[in-house]
Amino acid sequence: MTSQVQLKLLPRVRCLFDEPIQLKVAGLKSRQVVSVRANATDDKGVVFSSAATYKADGNGEIDLQRDPSMSGSYIGAQPMGLLWSMKPEILHSRMHKTRALNPYMVTFSVHEEEGNDRVLAEVVNERLLMGDGVIRTPINNGKICGVLFTPPGPGPFPAVLDLYTSGGGLSEKRPALLASRGFVVLTVGLYGCGENQKTNEIHLDYFEEAIEFLRGQDKVCSKGVGVISLSKSGDLALSAASYLSGVEATVWINGCSANTLLPLHYKKNIILPPLMYDTSKIITTELGAALIKYTMFDPRAEENKSCVVPIEQAKGCFLFVAAEDDLNWDSKAFVEQMVERLKHYGKKNFEVLSYPGAGHYLEPPYGPHCTSSRHVLVGKPVVWGGVSSSHAAAEVHLWKKIQEFFRSHLTGDGAQGKAML
């Protein structure tokens, strides 16, 4: 490794997962062409990597915030491109970084573009899922199975119930990062856990208990809670907002307007039958992944109207988020249906965000964009959609809007919180 070449990460090498960094290279020859790379390994041992070719300026320096990539995983000036353009070494793999206590370690390196591909400089970026002072508490209280994240300080803080998706297990990344931004967050498994886990039915009572548990926490402010969702959990979030008390703000991301796949129970009764799907409409791509976007039955059809969530009953506000290149759900169409329904009932308690070029998995920013991975319910890989650069930009914008939405409706304060490191 050549000592005269320096690779710097600003403002520091240790940061929260959702924070941008500035990568600079110095000590190169004037106009020298090099390859700048990123490499990371997820919790399952899958390696993700990216590379981009840059030309130094007359002083032998490269600034990724300023300079365009000439070739590689992306083209043009993309300051965080090495992170979101990472691809897995195993096809149809999604970055698994689910435990908040394990930081996301990314190795950045500079290599000679010509010759023997020699490493000129290297630095490791420690990207934390949980800020300093945030308390992580596993919860097994009654029927509730999940993890509670509490910010440092006396509070009171706004509270959010995080319903991730039905992909199996808990993902702690989003709730841990929200807690790092000043929210008390409880994430729960959609089907419970242990003896209480039932994958053939869903009970709204379970989420009601979770909401009441969350509202009872010492550091939670007196107003109701927020609910954030993604995919299948989107219709569960709609149902929680429509049938349960105490839900003040709901973020629905790329889901359905109707209860899907399983009957929804409440107080020992089925309140919503499931909207089902037609497997004959699955299309298999050249790479062996399934395109399932158009398999769901139409919730507007007369025989399916009983599956539609009566969101006009909700007392709180909605933020509907649709990725226009979502290949898992027809999210944009479902948003249009929900907006039409709320307007029909004279409701104005909603906001809509629509992102061209974004795919299904809209998550906290600066992770690798996943275009396909194994779907637990389908039993094989499915395509999620999205153009990587557009998807990455959507995640940055959405993450800020989510926090503003919750602060506005849960505390009346839209001010941004500070990173807790």
Side-chain angles (χ1 to χ4, degrees):
M1 191 175 295
T2 305
S3 59
Q4 70 179 23
V5 178
Q6 295 181 323
L7 178 58
K8 295 182 179 180
L9 294 179
L10 302 173
R12 53 190 176 272
V13 297
R14 184 173 182 263
C15 64
L16 280 173
F17 184 95
D18 61 356
E19 287 187 314
I21 54 171
Q22 185 177 9
L23 193 151
K24 288 186 173 183
V25 184
L28 296 170
K29 298 174 185 177
S30 176
R31 312 300 177 187
Q32 183 177 353
V33 176
V34 295
S35 174
V36 185
R37 304 176 188 177
N39 183 284
T41 303
D42 75 359
D43 292 339
K44 291 189 173 183
V46 178
V47 175
F48 288 71
S49 60
S50 60
T53 303
Y54 286 89
K55 177 186 287 188
D57 62 15
N59 296 319
E61 296 178 350
I62 296 171
D63 182 349
L64 266 66
Q65 205 164 55
R66 172 197 68 192
D67 301 325
S69 164
M70 299 185 296
S71 63
S73 301
Y74 57 92
I75 304 294
Q78 296 284 355
M80 299 292 285
L82 286 172
L83 291 178
W84 55 252
S85 69
M86 280 185 173
K87 299 298 181 187
E89 63 178 5
I90 300 175
L91 189 63
H92 306 313
S93 293
R94 184 163 163 261
M95 172 67 78
H96 282 270
K97 212 68 185 173
T98 57
R99 298 298 174 224
L101 297 177
N102 301 331
Y104 178 49
M105 309 297 288
V106 182
T107 300
F108 293 100
S109 55
V110 181
H111 299 248
E112 284 185 331
E113 183 69 5
E114 299 178 355
N116 60 4
D117 196 38
R118 186 162 55 108
V119 179
L120 302 177
E122 186 176 275
V123 65
V124 176
N125 182 203
E126 183 180 1
R127 306 187 67 78
L128 305 175
L129 303 185
M130 191 168 72
D132 291 345
V134 174
I135 299 173
R136 177 189 180 276
T137 308
I139 302 297
N140 200 334
N141 184 72
K143 296 179 182 179
I144 304 172
C145 177
V147 181
L148 179 71
F149 294 93
T150 309
F157 301 106
V160 175
L161 177 64
D162 189 311
L163 306 179
Y164 188 64
T165 183
S166 58
L170 292 174
S171 176
E172 298 180 11
K173 179 170 63 177
R174 187 170 67 183
L177 288 169
L178 279 173
S180 302
R181 299 301 180 188
F183 298 88
V184 176
V185 188
L186 174 64
T187 181
V188 297
L190 299 191
Y191 306 109
C193 67
E195 296 180 357
N196 295 318
Q197 188 172 20
K198 295 181 180 180
T199 57
N200 60 342
E201 57 187 47
I202 296 183
H203 291 259
L204 201 55
D205 312 68
Y206 172 64
F207 304 108
E208 184 174 48
E209 187 174 335
I211 290 169
E212 291 307 310
F213 174 83
L214 186 55
R215 294 180 73 183
Q217 298 304 301
D218 291 340
K219 290 187 177 182
V220 169
C221 57
S222 59
K223 289 197 72 174
V225 306
V227 179
I228 185 170
S229 60
L230 172 69
S231 196
K232 161 59 190 172
S233 67
D235 59 70
L236 297 176
L238 296 180
S239 295
S242 301
Y243 290 103
L244 305 179
S245 61
V247 179
E248 293 286 337
T250 302
V251 176
W252 175 102
I253 304 173
N254 292 338
C256 187
S257 57
N259 179 59
T260 62
L261 307 177
L262 296 170
L264 183 64
H265 298 249
Y266 184 54
K267 305 299 184 184
K268 298 182 179 180
N269 295 311
I270 294 178
I271 56 173
L272 290 173
L275 182 70
M276 299 307 288
Y277 51 90
D278 183 355
T279 56
S280 69
K281 294 184 178 180
I282 294 177
I283 301 170
T284 302
T285 67
E286 293 181 357
L287 295 177
L291 174 60
I292 63 174
K293 179 174 183 175
Y294 300 108
T295 59
M296 296 301 299
F297 291 147
D298 187 350
R300 297 168 300 177
E302 189 63 37
E303 64 271 19
N304 298 324
K305 287 184 177 180
S306 61
C307 307
V308 177
V309 183
I311 53 176
E312 68 278 1
Q313 297 179 178
K315 300 296 191 294
C317 296
F318 293 103
L319 175 62
F320 298 130
V321 182
E324 295 187 16
D325 195 36
D326 184 354
L327 297 183
N328 184 73
W329 300 92
D330 196 359
S331 300
K332 191 170 186 291
F334 292 142
V335 167
E336 291 170 354
Q337 293 168 26
M338 291 188 291
V339 168
E340 181 181 357
R341 184 182 184 100
L342 288 174
K343 287 183 176 179
H344 174 77
Y345 285 96
K347 299 286 186 174
K348 299 180 180 179
N349 58 338
F350 62 90
E351 300 175 45
V352 175
L353 294 174
S354 186
Y355 293 106
H360 182 68
Y361 268 111
L362 284 172
E363 299 190 287
Y366 310 128
H369 171 217
C370 179
T371 56
S372 65
S373 66
R374 188 177 185 275
H375 193 299
V376 173
L377 299 180
V378 178
K380 63 183 295 186
V382 303
V383 290
W384 304 115
V387 177
S388 293
S389 57
S390 300
H391 187 91
E395 288 185 330
V396 172
H397 183 268
L398 174 60
W399 188 235
K400 180 180 178 182
K401 294 296 293 185
I402 287 171
Q403 295 171 62
E404 290 175 349
F405 176 77
F406 280 142
R407 285 198 179 90
S408 174
H409 294 288
L410 300 180
T411 68
D413 178 11
Q416 287 289 297
K418 294 182 179 179
M420 298 174 186
L421 284 173

